[in-house]
């Protein structure tokens, strides 16, 4: 999976509003979640492509293909069925 990094010159300052706008412009329906430190989500998949983005903290995503760790301003596209 390819991590995309926030580019302040192209995307503006890293705010929730700007990140949501960037994802919506790409055609994604956005929902925001705040996860407590150390939270673990059960294994799951989605029927459509999705994108995960981080405003602050770190988020580790583990799939059959490997693992990525996202930091502030990072996002990753997760293909359907992953």
């Amino acid at each position: 999976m390819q991590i995309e990094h926030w580019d302040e010159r192209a995307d503006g300052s890293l705010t929730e509003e700007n990140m949501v706008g960037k994802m919506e412009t790409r055609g994604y329906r956005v929902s925001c979640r705040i996860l407590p430190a150390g939270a673990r989500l059960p294994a799951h998949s989605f029927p459509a492509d999705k994108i995960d983005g981080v405003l602050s903290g770190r988020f580790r995503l583990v799939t059959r293909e490997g693992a990525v760790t996202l930091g502030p301003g990072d996002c990753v596209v997760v293909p359907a069925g992953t």
Side-chain angles (χ1 to χ4, degrees):
M1 284 179 283
Q2 183 68 34
I3 296 176
E4 300 173 20
H5 303 285
W6 193 261
D7 179 353
E8 282 200 8
R9 287 177 288 156
D11 304 321
S13 59
L14 178 57
T15 65
E16 183 176 338
E17 181 181 5
N18 286 344
M19 185 173 273
V20 167
K22 180 178 181 176
M23 291 178 178
E24 287 177 340
T25 297
R26 293 174 69 177
Y28 292 98
R29 189 180 63 211
V30 178
S31 63
C32 299
R33 295 172 63 174
I34 298 173
L35 301 174
R40 291 181 179 258
L41 302 175
H44 60 279
S45 65
F46 290 89
D49 291 350
K50 73 172 198 141
I51 191 167
D52 285 323
V54 176
L55 283 174
S56 65
R58 299 254 179 248
F59 179 71
R60 183 167 171 81
L61 175 65
V62 179
T63 69
R64 288 183 203 101
E65 290 77 35
V68 296
T69 300
L70 306 175
D74 291 341
C75 63
V76 62
V77 174
V78 182
T82 300

